[in-house]
Amino acid sequence: GAVVSQHPSWVICKSGTSVKIECRSLDFQATTMFWYRQFPKQSLMLMATSNEGSKATYEQGVEKDKFLINHASLTLSTLTVTSAHPEDSSFYICSGVLAPDTQYFGPGTRLTVL
Amino acid sequence: AQSVTQPDIHITVSEGASLELRCNYSYGATPYLFWYVQSPGQGLQLLLKYFSGDTLVQGIKGFEAEFKRSQSSFNLRKPSVHWSDAAEYFCAVAPNRDDKIIFGKGTRLHILP
């Protein structure tokens, strides 16, 4: 099956710094990628929809200025958590859509903000 | 608004026993339904999906699910579980085939030896 990778797999940063997470579709082109957030022992919550070459669409309650998403190519989307705070600590998961209809999920990135 | 309910937070079954994980959805139109499994340290893996057609869907690893429109349910079943099936299972719904997915809260499956 298709593979989606994320880098880094885990990151620890200081409060106030910014962190960039990469999501790559390794063997397919993903016009659409999704970013999810998962708190410990909870479900995945959709943060935003990322379309190649256009602005991301954010879900209600997600701060677009805090979670910057860039989908610069058909195989790469990035999520930058700006001015991170401890409450941003979470597990971030991306997925890429392999046309016509199958989403493949990355392994996730564990972010810890001290 | 779409929603997915997984009423069981934890389920424990003995190895070799049958399994059924419950899932109910709320959606006005015909939903696109999924079951995913998440193992510790691993990404989400699609077990099966229902878009249309036969309401009994076969998936990977011996899993199957049945779509019942009258009950708004999409329960996951396996006739005989293996210790390696211990994981978190998520039921999910999407409005379109390639659209954002709404996940249930998950059911953690524990297997007794």
Side-chain angles (χ1 to χ4, degrees):
Chain A
V3 177
V4 174
S5 70
Q6 286 185 238
H7 178 79
S9 54
W10 58 269
V11 57
I12 301 173
C13 69
K14 293 182 178 180
S15 186
T17 61
S18 295
V19 174
K20 179 184 285 188
I21 301 170
E22 293 185 348
C23 175
R24 293 182 184 273
S25 55
L26 297 185
D27 48 4
F28 68 99
Q29 293 183 328
T31 305
T32 302
M33 287 183 168
F34 298 96
W35 285 95
Y36 297 83
R37 183 174 181 177
Q38 185 179 29
F39 289 103
K41 299 186 178 182
Q42 294 189 33
S43 188
L44 285 78
M45 300 297 294
L46 179 68
M47 298 175 66
T49 302
S50 169
N51 289 298
E52 188 266 339
S54 63
K55 291 184 177 181
T57 302
Y58 291 82
E59 294 299 300
Q60 190 172 12
V62 178
E63 299 175 62
K64 62 180 181 180
D65 294 329
K66 181 168 189 58
F67 299 100
L68 301 179
I69 291 173
N70 183 278
H71 195 157
S73 76
L74 289 172
T75 59
L76 173 64
S77 176
T78 60
L79 168 67
T80 302
V81 183
T82 63
S83 187
H85 290 281
E87 56 266 30
D88 298 325
S89 298
S90 190
F91 195 53
Y92 293 88
I93 302 173
C94 71
S95 69
V97 178
L98 172 60
D101 56 31
T102 302
Q103 278 193 45
Y104 290 91
F105 287 81
T109 296
R110 172 78 58 195
L111 170 64
T112 301
V113 184
L114 301 177
Chain B
Q2 303 159 63
S3 66
V4 178
T5 302
Q6 293 180 248
D8 303 306
I9 298 174
H10 294 273
I11 281 190
T12 302
V13 298
S14 299
E15 189 169 17
S18 63
L19 170 71
E20 181 169 35
L21 301 183
R22 296 184 291 166
C23 173
N24 292 95
Y25 66 90
S26 173
Y27 186 60
T30 301
Y32 295 92
L33 296 161
F34 308 83
W35 273 100
Y36 285 89
V37 60
Q38 186 179 39
S39 299
Q42 297 187 26
L44 284 166
Q45 184 178 25
L46 178 67
L47 288 175
L48 46 79
K49 62 186 177 185
Y50 172 78
F51 286 173
S52 64
D54 192 346
T55 56
L56 184 62
V57 182
Q58 301 297 320
I60 62 171
K61 303 185 179 183
F63 287 94
E64 67 177 26
E66 186 171 12
F67 170 58
K68 293 185 177 180
R69 185 187 300 276
S70 62
Q71 298 178 20
S72 297
S73 69
F74 189 55
N75 294 348
L76 182 72
R77 299 193 294 252
K78 186 170 184 176
S80 176
V81 297
H82 186 262
W83 64 266
S84 60
D85 293 325
E88 186 88 22
Y89 290 80
F90 293 97
C91 182
V93 64
N96 295 298
R97 300 166 71 101
D98 59 351
D99 210 333
K100 59 186 180 184
I101 292 177
I102 308 300
F103 287 86
K105 292 186 181 298
T107 297
R108 176 150 309 266
L109 175 63
H110 305 270
I111 307 295
L112 295 176

